[in-house]
Amino acid sequence: MKKIVKIFISILFFSFCAALSAQQNITVDVGDEVYDILENASLRGLCSPLPAVKPYSQRFIKDTLNQILINLDDYTDDYEISSEKNIVERQLERFEAEPGLDLAKAMVRFEGKILELPVSFEIRDSINGDFSMGLYDYDNYSRGAFQVWNEAEFSGDLGNNISYRNQTYLGFTKVPLVYKGAYDIGYWTATRYNSENDFSKPVGQSPRTVNIYHNLAYRPYAYKKYWDGSVYPIEGGINAGGLHAWPNAVSLGFGMKGEIRGYFFNDIIELGAGRENREWGGMDNGASLVLNSTASPFFAFDTALKPFSWISLRTMTGILEMPNRGDVLENAYYPIDGAGKKINISDGNEENINNDEYKDYHYFQNAFSIGQLDLDFKYLHLDFGSTCVWPKRLELGYSFPLIDRIVYQNDIGDYDNLSLYGNLKVRVPGVGSIWGSFYLDELNAFFTKFWETTRAMYAFQVGVKTVIPKIPFGTFSFRYTRIEPYCYTHQSINGTPWYNGYLSENYTNNGLCLGYYLQPNSDEFLARFEFNPARSSSTSLQYQFIRHGADFGSQAVPGSNLYSELPRHGRGELMKHQFHDGAYEWTHIISLNASYRLNKIRVPFYVNASAGYVYDYFTTIDGKAVSIYESDERYSVNETYHRVENDEYFSTNGVILSIGFKIFGR
């Protein structure tokens, strides 16, 4: 029996470690330009339908690009097709690597055999940076920012099925912010009240607020940082006690990502582990409502089972990261301060008072699990799944692919933050696609005032993307996205297993939403035109119209911030009235973007630039804003809204200019 087991293990081991010539199984970052090429080709029927879970492996991308080249040969050899073939060939070249030293590309690659098993090891380096300036017609709003960093990477293969990669970032940055005001998020979940009929204040608790900051040096929602965790301001010298949560001054920043990934049994099984950016359930690049590419990376284990080409089952479980230490928590366009003053929170038991020097950090101790079933056909894509944000404890059921997270949560005691989601996409190859996406956070009753009750917390999106003929890889897309009040939020819990204190379970990682980049109580109209005018260039023109309930000032609307908490008393009867219940910010954004690779020099050198215009104004109502602690009348407000100009809410015009570069990079 022992001999049979040894033989079986040996067969498995050697089948996992066959010959290879390049890193086949590591993934390509979800922000890479190649994803736009693949998406366009899929719309035109030049390749098989693309998976709704990213990132893709290098091997998958290279196979798909080769498939596109073959199918392009079937077209007439006119200018458009010739140009597109050049573009695809250029993308393929990016993922090729020869053994040896290449100083022009700042890389070295080794290939060999150990114990008759082929292995490879590759080192790459690149220098990256961007500079951005926001110029506004309002005093003291204009801001300039920069980030310049070095990215060092080593990667390789262990046989034909397993690959690994590490990416390390180190550089300097400064991104000054503008303070907008404080936002009242409510009392954390209470177990006792002052009396049987007085629900205005839980015993032993104080109200909580977060401070709202805007990043005005970059276009709204366009800033992407390379650093993780905290930064070290260089003023006064860099030291271990000088950690800051945001680079308002020139600071040293750093970060690291890595992964190990394997594909087995003819790619039927995929196993991976690592810290990386991901996108699940996105019907277009950056469009996902459940796990968006704009979310911060976190470490997770993921698995995929693909018994047939048209079906796959995927699961992932990882550990979410705490908001940054210090005075500011980064939250894309709306950085938030969740620390503030020391917190003195209790459930009425003096032994449970939490008042240590680290303030809010212990309130964010969460893991994250997600499972998704995909059905993919030529003309139709359908996926659905569930997610769970849960305090770190040994709950193996959330990681198991054949047990749903919602069912399992009810089995173990109903403590955690669950959601359901689904996507439906119809394709017409050569023409385009149309889709609908839905994310359900919580609901009171599906057929009872589903569109009006505050407790119906959900997000939805409808979109269309079409091919533009005679323009190389030209597409036009439009989508509308709505994030309802309190969607992605969750009431803090007290006394969950393994924890004797309050824990926040909102749908965030390191202060950023895991789902869509908008704040709760927002909607967005987005139109985008993009194409590749030449082999080494790309261009896009984009318009966004975003409306968001104000999360600062005297007319702030409850449920308009990721840290909002729905009042426990009477929440089933609360109603929402978009635009008619307080102040709303209306933002128009127009942006022109272009990128180019200099081909006349051996050293890979990329430049990108963007110019944007932002027009921002507010509307409000005349009614009195009622505190969420004092009564439920705040949610009954349904008055006519009008445009406003005052010291709290005023209009601004801004021009944002940005330029970026990359040297040596792929």
Side-chain angles (χ1 to χ4, degrees), residues 34-67:
V34 73
Y35 287 96
D36 290 327
I37 302 294
L38 298 181
E39 178 66 26
N40 181 284
S42 178
L43 285 175
R44 295 169 54 186
L46 295 174
C47 63
S48 302
L50 298 173
V53 173
K54 302 182 184 76
Y56 304 151
S57 70
Q58 278 195 25
R59 176 157 54 90
F60 176 84
I61 287 176
K62 290 169 66 176
D63 289 346
T64 305
L65 290 172
N66 281 312
Q67 184 183 3

Side-chain angles (χ1 to χ4, degrees), residues 31-162:
D32 194 277
E33 63 187 47
V34 73
Y35 287 96
D36 290 327
I37 302 294
L38 298 181
E39 178 66 26
N40 181 284
S42 178
L43 285 175
R44 295 169 54 186
L46 295 174
C47 63
S48 302
L50 298 173
V53 173
K54 302 182 184 76
Y56 304 151
S57 70
Q58 278 195 25
R59 176 157 54 90
F60 176 84
I61 287 176
K62 290 169 66 176
D63 289 346
T64 305
L65 290 172
N66 281 312
Q67 184 183 3
I68 295 169
L69 277 180
I70 293 171
N71 289 327
L72 279 173
D73 286 334
D74 295 335
Y75 285 77
T76 304
D77 190 22
D78 57 15
Y79 166 76
E80 178 190 355
I81 301 306
S82 176
S83 176
E84 290 183 339
K85 290 183 69 173
N86 284 334
I87 292 168
V88 174
E89 288 168 353
R90 188 264 184 215
Q91 291 295 328
L92 274 168
E93 291 171 4
R94 295 176 58 216
F95 301 106
E96 298 294 342
E98 296 293 332
L101 176 64
D102 191 335
L103 292 177
K105 295 182 179 179
M107 64 161 288
V108 60
R109 179 176 175 81
F110 304 92
E111 293 182 1
K113 288 187 177 182
I114 298 178
L115 299 177
E116 298 303 316
L117 297 176
V119 295
S120 68
F121 180 73
E122 183 176 302
I123 301 175
R124 288 178 174 267
D125 197 84
S126 65
I127 301 171
N128 310 259
D130 63 63
F131 304 85
S132 190
M133 172 69 74
L135 303 171
Y136 295 86
D137 61 355
Y138 186 77
D139 292 342
N140 301 320
Y141 259 36
S142 295
R143 291 290 190 277
F146 77 92
Q147 46 185 1
V148 177
W149 71 95
N150 185 81
E151 178 183 339
E153 174 184 315
F154 69 83
S155 57
D157 301 289
L158 300 172
N160 193 46
N161 298 79
I162 301 175

Side-chain angles (χ1 to χ4, degrees), residues 381-612:
H381 167 88
L382 173 66
D383 69 62
F384 53 91
S386 61
T387 72
C388 185
V389 175
W390 48 285
K392 291 181 266 189
R393 57 183 192 265
L394 195 62
E395 296 293 356
L396 299 179
Y398 285 139
S399 306
F400 189 63
L402 301 181
I403 296 180
D404 182 74
R405 278 135 294 282
I406 290 182
V407 174
Y408 183 71
Q409 188 252 190
N410 282 278
D411 292 340
I412 63 173
D414 193 22
Y415 292 103
D416 305 320
N417 181 11
L418 300 167
S419 68
L420 286 169
Y421 68 94
N423 299 279
L424 177 64
K425 187 175 189 177
V426 178
R427 306 184 182 97
V428 181
V431 177
S433 63
I434 184 171
W435 72 86
S437 302
F438 192 74
Y439 173 92
L440 180 60
D441 192 335
E442 191 172 329
L443 76 162
N444 212 18
F446 193 81
F447 295 107
T448 305
K449 299 180 180 178
F450 180 73
W451 304 105
E452 300 175 12
T453 177
T454 302
R455 186 123 188 238
M457 298 143 57
Y458 56 87
F460 68 89
Q461 181 182 98
V462 291
V464 61
K465 192 166 188 176
T466 184
V467 174
I468 302 177
K470 303 301 180 182
I471 297 179
F473 288 111
T475 59
F476 174 79
S477 59
F478 172 84
R479 67 177 185 249
Y480 173 76
T481 308
R482 169 67 181 160
I483 314 294
E484 290 293 308
Y486 291 103
C487 184
Y488 299 133
T489 72
H490 195 269
Q491 248 188 351
S492 300
I493 58 174
N494 184 24
T496 186
W498 291 28
Y499 297 91
N500 188 22
Y502 285 90
L503 293 175
S504 174
E505 287 189 322
N506 63 351
Y507 202 71
T508 64
N509 173 51
N510 195 17
L512 277 172
C513 185
L514 287 163
Y516 204 66
Y517 49 77
L518 294 180
Q519 292 277 332
N521 197 17
S522 299
D523 65 354
E524 175 191 52
F525 298 84
L526 186 150
R528 181 179 176 88
F529 164 65
E530 54 191 332
F531 72 105
N532 292 69
R535 172 184 171 91
S536 299
S537 63
S538 63
T539 304
S540 67
L541 177 64
Q542 180 173 285
Y543 169 72
Q544 293 168 274
F545 176 36
I546 299 172
R547 302 177 292 187
H548 172 228
D551 53 359
F552 63 89
S554 61
Q555 293 283 357
V557 183
S560 299
N561 188 281
L562 287 167
Y563 292 85
S564 302
E565 297 202 10
L566 190 64
R568 193 170 186 83
H569 171 61
R571 57 186 176 178
E573 289 73 44
L574 303 182
M575 309 301 288
K576 53 196 173 188
H577 303 283
Q578 187 183 21
F579 311 129
H580 300 271
D581 52 359
Y584 280 78
E585 186 174 17
W586 303 57
T587 306
H588 298 266
I589 310 163
I590 301 174
S591 60
L592 176 64
N593 309 277
S595 65
Y596 182 72
R597 181 187 188 275
L598 278 68
N599 294 313
K600 294 186 178 181
I601 58 176
R602 280 199 63 204
V603 175
F605 190 93
Y606 302 84
V607 292
N608 59 78
S610 69

Side-chain angles (χ1 to χ4, degrees), residues 227-239:
W227 52 274
D228 298 308
S230 303
V231 295
Y232 291 87
I234 63 173
E235 184 179 1
I238 296 173
N239 62 81

